[in-house]
Amino acid sequence: LSNLDAKLRVQMRSEIKKLHQKLQTTFIYVTHDQTEALTMGDRIAIIDKGIIQQTDTPENIYNNPINTFVGGFLGSPAMNFINTNIVNNKITINGSSFELNNEQKYKLKDKTSVIIGIRAENMNDTNNNFEFKSDIKIKEMLGSEQIIYFNANNSECAAVFPPSFYSDKEITLKINTNKILFFNQENGLQI
């Protein structure tokens, strides 16, 4: 489908999905296009260098990636990964800190540093319990949303905002820390 124009590609995805439902049989569809995988698949296998990294439903892979490769592969923009240290059960991003909840404390009890994973659409959460500031690097207007790029602990990140949002220099990121995933810095596996 990659050689088709955008409108025809969307139409063909829909037709293949209808055919799959009508025939009630197993289809194996190989694609490098994550949108095709997420919209067409009942189950997805993410493969890196010939090794299956994770097999699950599109929702579970998107929301609970097994490692940083899978988290970074699915999503546009990709999942944000922020390197950080744990000091006295607190994590600091750009000078602002939050305390780990009890479940997070248990998961990370032997860790002194981790990679935080959080989706771009969760960086502007109205149900937030943690905020930090950053300078805006680039803004991309996409019509129904805008993507704002910034740095968090020297890691390049992105956040999704409504098209009406305006700021030209600094941004306040609002996170619900319960939506954060933690990854091992040594091997990239989710903790």
Side-chain angles (χ1 to χ4, degrees):
L1 302 182
S2 63
N3 293 324
L4 303 175
D5 64 63
K7 185 177 178 181
L8 188 54
R9 189 168 43 242
V10 170
Q11 184 181 349
M12 288 306 298
R13 280 198 308 250
S14 177
E15 291 299 321
I16 292 171
K17 187 134 179 120
K18 287 178 194 173
L19 185 62
H20 178 235
Q21 290 170 348
K22 180 180 176 183
L23 295 177
Q24 302 249 333
T25 187
T26 301
F27 280 32
I28 297 177
Y29 186 86
V30 179
T31 183
H32 294 281
D33 184 325
Q34 61 174 305
T35 302
E36 287 179 10
L38 288 169
T39 58
M40 295 171 60
D42 296 323
R43 294 188 58 79
I44 299 175
I46 306 289
I47 301 171
D48 181 31
K49 298 176 187 149
I51 299 171
I52 295 176
Q53 301 294 308
Q54 186 172 358
T55 302
D56 208 332
T57 64
E59 296 83 9
N60 286 340
I61 288 180
Y62 184 80
N63 293 316
N64 197 21
I66 197 166
N67 58 30
T68 54
F69 175 81
V70 174
F73 184 77
L74 285 182
S76 181
M79 179 176 272
N80 294 307
F81 296 110
I82 304 168
N83 290 305
T84 189
N85 295 320
I86 302 170
V87 179
N88 296 326
N89 290 319
K90 289 186 179 181
I91 288 185
T92 301
I93 302 175
N94 288 7
S96 297
S97 299
F98 69 90
E99 185 158 354
L100 299 172
N101 64 34
N102 288 335
E103 181 183 339
Q104 293 167 338
K105 286 177 189 176
Y106 179 77
K107 275 186 185 179
L108 304 173
K109 63 184 171 193
D110 298 328
K111 300 286 182 193
T112 57
S113 60
V114 292
I115 301 169
I116 290 174
I118 187 160
R119 294 278 179 202
E121 62 270 19
N122 293 330
M123 299 293 280
N124 184 29
D125 197 325
T126 54
N127 187 24
N128 71 82
N129 59 354
F130 173 63
E131 296 181 1
F132 69 93
K133 295 185 182 300
S134 184
D135 291 334
I136 295 172
K137 301 297 179 194
I138 300 171
K139 294 192 285 186
E140 291 179 344
M141 175 56 80
L142 302 177
S144 63
E145 63 187 18
Q146 61 179 310
I147 310 296
I148 299 179
Y149 296 90
F150 60 95
N151 283 340
N153 289 5
N154 297 317
S155 299
E156 292 183 15
C157 295
V160 175
F161 278 80
S164 59
F165 173 81
Y166 177 80
S167 180
D168 59 350
K169 296 190 189 260
E170 189 177 68
I171 188 169
T172 299
L173 289 307
K174 300 174 182 182
I175 298 173
N176 179 336
T177 58
N178 295 320
K179 294 182 179 177
I180 291 175
L181 299 177
F182 298 94
F183 297 90
N184 192 313
Q185 285 189 332
E186 291 76 37
N187 57 20
L189 292 174
Q190 189 182 147
I191 300 171

